[in-house]
Amino acid sequence: MLRYATDWLGVYREEVNALNVYPVPDGDTGTNMHLTMQSVRRELETADTSSMAGVARAISYGALLGARGNSGVILSQLLKGFAEVIKDKQEVDAPTLIHAFDAAQKSGYGAVMKPVEGTILTVARGIAEGAKGDSVDMVLENALFKGQELLDQTPEMLPALKQAGVIDSGGQGYLYIVQGMLAELRGDELPEAPEITQYAAQSFENEEFGFCTEFLMSESTRSIEDIRELVSPFGDSLLVVGAEGYVKGHIHTNEPDELLATVGRYGKMLKTKVEDMSEQHTEILGMAGATARAEEELPLSGLVAVANGYGLVKLFRSLGARIVSGGQTANPSVQDIVDAVRSVSAERVIVLPNNKNVLMAAEKAMELMEGRAVVIPTRTLGQGMGAALAFHEGTPADELKELMTEASQAVTTFEVTRASRTTNITTKKGETLAIAEGDVIGLQDDELVQAGGTPEDSVMKMLESAYAGQEIITIFGGPQKTQADLDALAERLGQQFDGAEVEAHAGGPDLYDYLVTLE
């Protein structure tokens, strides 16, 4: 039922996105909830589904790790509460389902410091209140009826919704998930996706805090309550939740660098995401306007780039790219890339995979798009940046492919990260590196070339070997690097390579200390 509910929500994802207005465009609610459900489905594929405990753990664990955005994090807590009830059962009968929906809404409300009515929480409460009956299908039918009743009332609870003339997007998404569960039980086929002609987010301005910031951390040395207290002064729309030894956080702030550096002292930062909500707003407006744009007005070329790290995402967006979130250890699916291409209003679309592990998915997406997409085989984010700088929407895609491929090859990329296991590696130059788990390692154009020392030493050694009078060195610091770290490294590079212009930015990719380009 949950697997099918994922597909059911997928049908209505853009409809839910179009409703999103609260409190400002904060990612895409439908997309975030769908990605969260997809993560649950991935865990279910590998779980021991002969055991209810295995199913429950996959639901809770998958939802937390895949939670995206405010709505996705709250959804993960609804699913966590649901899973807690079923984990010790042999089967889910009507009384168990009633109890599970009630536990879900309590878990959701408990995760939010200042619960607001007129949101997904209200609909979760309605689902729980309506969940009555002697059979599973009757419980679901009654739950949906009451959930819809409260969803219809959400515009009276939130002025922002009433102003836009829409119901709450997160609540609608949750209702579609429960609808999908019932549809699977009845054997209903998936419906056609509705046509979207208007996006409610056009009506709203930016809020006080401009960056939607998320993190996923393991091995935390502080409790969830301590982490929540630690980050609460940084902004609002705060959610800090946890399960299975992980801590997931979401907050709107004007100080994403300082927040992530502060949290990073108390655990191992696995994933971060920082989105400039004003730029998201602009992107949503562009999507809304695409439906009304005449075909002859379409630009010749559009751009899609796979990236993570908010500094890099911001750069790609500034160069005209639609972003697919992903990269090392978080490869997007073929469908993610296809969806992004379809959302771009242009005759043909250039795709930058920016990672060797994403290249195959990008090429498969190109096949599915039947000639509408063109892939530039960028294997690193540095190559992607070089290619994106050569992009121009008024140039045909076939001409751009040659220009952008050439531009990508003019950039050398250096990445500094940590070894995930102990091993011996022989480099292309014949040098054998003895690497221990956790050691600093350096990669040049995706090939391991250096190990040991500090991250800053790794950057220096690789650049000293590769520098040949190039003009620009650009540094992106990872989530655990402070602005002081960046400034110190930039000064050190400026002294060593005085013929080059050195630029330093926060917001590098997850799991990396530094990403550096030489051009």
Side-chain angles (χ1 to χ4, degrees), residues 303 316 319 350-355 359 375-391 399-414 444-446 470 516-519:
L303 184 63
F316 279 112
L319 297 171
I350 304 287
V351 179
L352 303 176
N354 299 337
N355 186 292
L359 185 56
V375 175
I376 309 292
T378 51
R379 300 170 65 87
T380 68
L381 283 160
Q383 289 183 351
M385 285 187 277
L389 285 166
F391 172 75
E399 292 181 28
L400 280 176
K401 183 171 184 178
E402 183 177 345
L403 292 170
M404 293 174 70
T405 300
E406 184 178 339
S408 73
Q409 294 169 352
V411 179
T412 305
T413 308
F414 307 92
Q444 178 176 331
D445 289 335
D446 211 33
Q470 291 93 332
V516 181
T517 62
L518 185 62
E519 54 188 303

Side-chain angles (χ1 to χ4, degrees), residues 301-341:
S301 299
L303 184 63
V304 165
V306 178
N308 70 34
Y310 69 92
L312 289 158
V313 167
K314 184 175 182 178
L315 174 63
F316 279 112
R317 276 206 174 110
S318 73
L319 297 171
R322 180 68 47 81
I323 301 300
V324 177
S325 180
Q328 196 67 24
T329 76
N331 301 156
S333 67
V334 172
Q335 190 63 54
D336 292 334
I337 298 170
V338 168
D339 289 346
V341 169

Side-chain angles (χ1 to χ4, degrees), residues 10-243:
V11 169
Y12 294 101
R13 180 180 57 189
E14 276 306 310
E15 180 189 89
V16 176
N17 286 343
L19 293 171
N20 188 47
V21 299
Y22 177 77
V24 293
D26 175 13
D28 291 329
T29 300
T31 298
N32 288 339
M33 295 181 76
H34 189 229
L35 288 169
T36 304
M37 290 297 293
Q38 285 180 319
S39 182
V40 172
R41 184 166 59 186
R42 280 194 297 272
E43 287 299 319
L44 286 168
E45 294 301 328
T46 57
D48 176 13
T49 53
S50 66
S51 154
M52 192 68 82
V55 172
R57 182 188 180 277
I59 294 169
S60 179
Y61 181 68
L64 181 71
L65 263 62
R68 307 283 186 96
N70 210 22
S71 53
V73 175
I74 294 176
L75 175 60
S76 77
Q77 297 309 289
L78 296 173
L79 292 169
K80 178 185 177 184
F82 189 98
E84 282 293 315
V85 169
I86 69 169
K87 68 179 183 181
D88 297 323
K89 305 292 183 179
Q90 292 300 310
E91 62 180 19
V92 177
D93 54 13
T96 300
L97 190 59
I98 292 168
H99 186 193
F101 278 133
D102 185 55
Q105 65 95 10
K106 287 177 179 175
S107 177
Y109 273 95
V112 181
M113 289 187 71
K114 298 177 182 178
V116 176
E117 294 299 337
T119 66
I120 186 175
L121 295 175
T122 302
V123 176
R125 176 166 56 82
I127 292 285
E129 290 174 358
K132 295 179 174 66
D134 298 327
S135 64
V136 169
D137 56 346
M138 187 180 295
V139 170
L140 288 167
E141 287 173 8
N142 291 334
L144 284 166
F145 183 83
K146 184 65 175 180
Q148 185 68 57
E149 183 181 307
L150 288 194
L151 178 62
D152 291 341
Q153 294 173 19
T154 55
E156 301 305 319
M157 301 177 191
L158 277 178
L161 298 176
K162 191 168 187 177
Q163 178 187 341
V166 295
I167 52 180
D168 179 66
S169 56
Q172 179 67 85
Y174 188 51
L175 210 63
Y176 280 139
I177 290 168
V178 180
Q179 277 184 13
M181 295 170 69
L182 180 58
E184 161 61 21
L185 194 64
R186 290 174 166 172
D188 295 344
E189 292 186 5
L190 289 175
E192 291 292 322
E195 183 178 351
I196 310 303
T197 58
Q198 188 173 356
Y199 285 74
Q202 294 176 82
S203 307
F204 293 87
E205 298 178 357
N206 296 332
E207 63 172 13
E208 179 183 355
F209 299 104
F211 294 92
C212 175
T213 304
E214 298 180 20
F215 60 86
L216 177 66
M217 184 168 66
S218 66
E219 302 172 24
S220 175
T221 59
R222 303 283 285 271
S223 69
I224 291 172
E225 291 73 20
D226 285 347
I227 298 293
R228 187 180 292 135
E229 193 70 26
L230 194 68
V231 301
S232 62
F234 283 93
D236 66 7
S237 295
L238 172 65
L239 285 166
V240 178
V241 298

